[in-house]
Amino acid sequence: MELKIALLSGDGIGPEVTQQAVKVLDAIAEKHGHTFTFTKADVGAIAIEKTGNPLPNETLEICKNSDAILFGAIGDPKYDNNPDNAIRPEQGLLKLRKNLGLFANIRPLTTYPTLIHKSNLKKDVIKGTDFVIYRELTSGIYFGEHTSSSDGKTASDSCTYTTEQIDRISHLAFKAAQVRRKKLTLVDKANALETSRLWRKRVTEIGQQYPDIKLEYLFVDNAAMQLILKPTQFDVILTENLFGDILSDEASVIAGSIGLLASASIGEKTALFEPIHGSYPDAKGKNIANPLASVLSAAMLLDYFSLHDEAEDIRIAVEKSIELNISTPDLNSTNHFSTTNVGNFLSDFILDDENTFYNKNNIDLGQSTII
Ligand code: IPM
Ligand code: MG
């Protein structure tokens, strides 16, 4: 298969981690006889510095003319600490999502047996957790009217949802539940918000078309608690934009590191694949950031094009790296490996998994992984 992939590395650790995902995709292409071509484009703070625009037109055009987008990270503390900035890096990502109609953000969460002890949560609580969050991505409070009064004393962000916006992601979430454990939990705040009541009404109606799916409802405050109290109860979580943003960061604690969580954003035009983590500015350029979320996002990209064996190759390599403790400091505080070395291990493993090419002694010493 030939795939044109737009490479939007973005800010902070984005370039370091996406570089490993590209390395891994190159290995997959070589092994399975595919042709993946990458076109780099600027987005976020780096794009503001170069062009004054967090999403230059050229970047948008490259994305629209690609089959998929591999996205790194966005954000720079320079902008976070100055709320008066009218132009902010994150606008690049939000505009991209809106322009491409990427209304469904899919964030899977699984636990790796060898990492269970890394989580701050108890082993017995998280063992066997396996769910996916379907987060609505192009509407709600993020995209409502934002105002601030001229005296600087009042501000507002409005939250609007239409039935059409609710329906399209709900169908995707129900379909996902059908090929999983057949349970869907709608997370809302229907005891306080009109938009949430609309979500509940529509999702209940849509649920009648999926009689095989057990539909449950949770208020978001309770959901936040249930996620860490009994995460194994969830299969598919369906929720609106802001709740999904918050709950997915919370859920990453179950996995042991936010550096493990990948996502796919799909909708009307080119699909986008990105880690759920941010730009981690303190780690920028240090070669310590965990590339696995980016690499696993690349696996989701392959799944999207029905290259399931290829995606599985990536997941097996990732599991092997975790099992052998070939991990960055977030997962391995003593013998840790660099971002680049983790990427090298994964791509070498994909190309040569028949052979025991990695040097166990070197691994134990925390040195190079590959002979
Ligand atoms: C995410 C991020 C973004 C969001 C930011 C960078 C705008 O936190 O993808 O979860 O809030 O959607
Ligand atoms: Mg977020």
Side-chain angles (χ1 to χ4, degrees), residues 74 90 93-94 97 107 135 142 245 274 276:
I74 207 157
E90 289 81 0
L93 179 58
L94 298 178
R97 289 171 177 170
R107 300 187 159 184
R135 168 190 175 194
Y142 276 67
D245 179 45
E274 57 165 329
I276 82 152

Side-chain angles (χ1 to χ4, degrees), residues 89-148:
E90 289 81 0
Q91 290 162 345
L93 179 58
L94 298 178
K95 279 186 185 159
L96 193 59
R97 289 171 177 170
K98 194 68 175 175
N99 268 287
L100 299 175
L102 301 174
F103 59 82
N105 183 222
I106 304 163
R107 300 187 159 184
L109 188 131
T110 42
T111 42
Y112 295 88
T114 42
L115 278 185
I116 275 197
H117 61 286
K118 300 277 180 202
S119 172
N120 287 19
L121 302 174
K122 283 189 190 135
K123 190 176 156 206
D124 289 344
V125 172
I126 59 175
K127 202 169 150 220
T129 300
D130 179 7
F131 61 78
V132 57
I133 299 177
Y134 272 67
R135 168 190 175 194
E136 200 292 324
L137 202 60
T138 49
S139 323
I141 199 164
Y142 276 67
F143 293 95
E145 195 190 354
H146 307 291
T147 70
S148 67

Side-chain angles (χ1 to χ4, degrees), residues 161-280:
Y161 269 106
T162 66
T163 51
E164 192 201 338
Q165 289 160 347
I166 295 168
D167 293 2
R168 57 190 181 179
I169 186 168
S170 299
H171 281 291
L172 290 183
F174 274 107
K175 289 195 173 102
Q178 282 182 319
V179 292
R180 292 179 52 96
R181 298 194 310 281
K182 302 198 174 358
K183 183 176 167 185
L184 189 146
T185 308
L186 172 67
V187 173
D188 62 26
K189 189 68 189 172
N191 51 350
L193 302 177
E194 205 54 54
T195 42
S196 283
R197 286 190 276 274
L198 186 61
W199 270 87
R200 223 173 243 229
K201 189 165 170 280
R202 291 305 288 191
V203 171
T204 306
E205 282 167 20
I206 291 168
Q208 286 162 7
Q209 297 171 39
Y210 301 89
D212 50 333
I213 305 301
K214 184 166 183 250
L215 173 61
E216 291 189 352
Y217 312 90
L218 274 186
F219 296 138
V220 63
D221 46 353
N222 188 12
M225 181 174 71
Q226 295 297 331
L227 262 184
I228 48 173
L229 210 54
K230 197 172 175 247
T232 50
Q233 70 184 284
F234 296 109
D235 181 19
V236 176
I237 294 175
L238 168 63
T239 192
E240 59 102 83
N241 204 343
L242 182 62
F243 298 160
D245 179 45
I246 298 167
L247 294 180
S248 54
D249 267 31
E250 186 196 3
S252 75
V253 179
I254 301 165
S257 168
I258 196 165
L260 288 169
L261 265 69
S263 86
S265 300
I266 64 170
E268 293 155 14
K269 299 195 184 104
T270 321
L272 179 150
F273 302 85
E274 57 165 329
I276 82 152
H277 63 65
S279 59
Y280 191 10

